[in-house]
Amino acid sequence: MARVAYKRNRESRHMKLAQEIARMEDPLSEADANRVAIVETLQASDLPIFDVQLASLNKNFDIPDISTFLIVAESDDFIRIRNHVTKANEKYGNKFPIRVVDVANIVPELNYLTKHSEAETAPYYKEHKFGYITRMIVKLAATEWVPGEVYLALDADVVCVKPTSFKSLMQGGKAAVETGKLSFQTAHQWKGAKHVLDAPKSLFNEDTVYGGVPSLYNRHGVYKLKAYLEIVYQQPW
């Protein structure tokens, strides 16, 4: 009973903290309010499918609506990726506002992460050096590298199959997202998020999950999440 009471008290305190952080004013610039940034992580093995993706964006995405296209490259492949992406953009007259950066510049702390630490946390993802966890950390950290209110997180295997613009992505001031039903017993990332955020069970009663990639990130929301995690765990997120 004491353990249950402690957990309920802790959840209550964390929920109050989350509510306080939710009331924080936006410290980020709202420049490019009617355009969207794109953030994508790439390693050398992704380059062939990236070419297909870029062709699909050229055909179906309203390119003037893209404020910046930030490509975060694996350190070992940085030169190769930058050269390949530059040539690919030249094919389309350099119309994409692409910027290629080394992942070590986005999240320097990744240099101290070992294969053991990621494999132990997520044994179903084999590649540590630029695996699932690493890429998710990068996509969150990118909030400080792009302008505007929202940014679109992509993986190289995502293609644009229908006309897309800022207006179609943001409807009524809210992001257009896909939802579905999935048991959290098999959704490892959702169980992890629940643990990190110390979320109450009521948040997951309906087993509702949201589309992972592509997904729109609210920059202010990501900033608040980082602040919450640093306060709760007393260390850099």
Side-chain angles (χ1 to χ4, degrees), residues 42-43 72-81 101-105 110-111 129-130:
L42 282 184
Q43 58 185 1
V72 184
E74 181 182 9
S75 296
D76 293 345
D77 297 334
F78 175 72
I79 299 299
R80 179 181 174 186
I81 292 171
V101 298
D102 190 320
V103 64
N105 293 331
L110 291 179
N111 290 324
K129 291 186 67 178
F130 213 57

Side-chain angles (χ1 to χ4, degrees), residues 40-53:
E40 181 164 344
T41 54
L42 282 184
Q43 58 185 1
S45 60
D46 296 327
L47 293 176
I49 53 177
F50 169 77
D51 292 342
V52 176
Q53 178 191 71

Side-chain angles (χ1 to χ4, degrees), residues 11 20 23 40 51 62 64 93 100-101 109 114 122 139 143 148 157 167 196 225 232:
E11 289 177 353
E20 287 295 324
R23 288 192 284 268
E40 181 164 344
D51 292 342
D62 193 349
V100 184
V101 298
E109 294 84 356
T114 66
K139 288 170 184 175
T143 188
D157 59 356
K167 187 176 180 180
V196 168
L225 172 62
V232 170

Side-chain angles (χ1 to χ4, degrees), residues 12 92 112 222 234:
S12 176
Y92 301 104
Y112 304 101
V222 174
Q234 294 295 296

Side-chain angles (χ1 to χ4, degrees), residues 188-208:
H188 302 285
Q189 65 269 40
W190 288 94
K191 290 196 293 183
K194 179 180 178 181
H195 171 72
V196 168
L197 297 176
D198 197 26
K201 291 182 179 180
S202 59
L203 188 62
F204 299 98
N205 282 345
E206 297 181 358
D207 282 0
T208 300

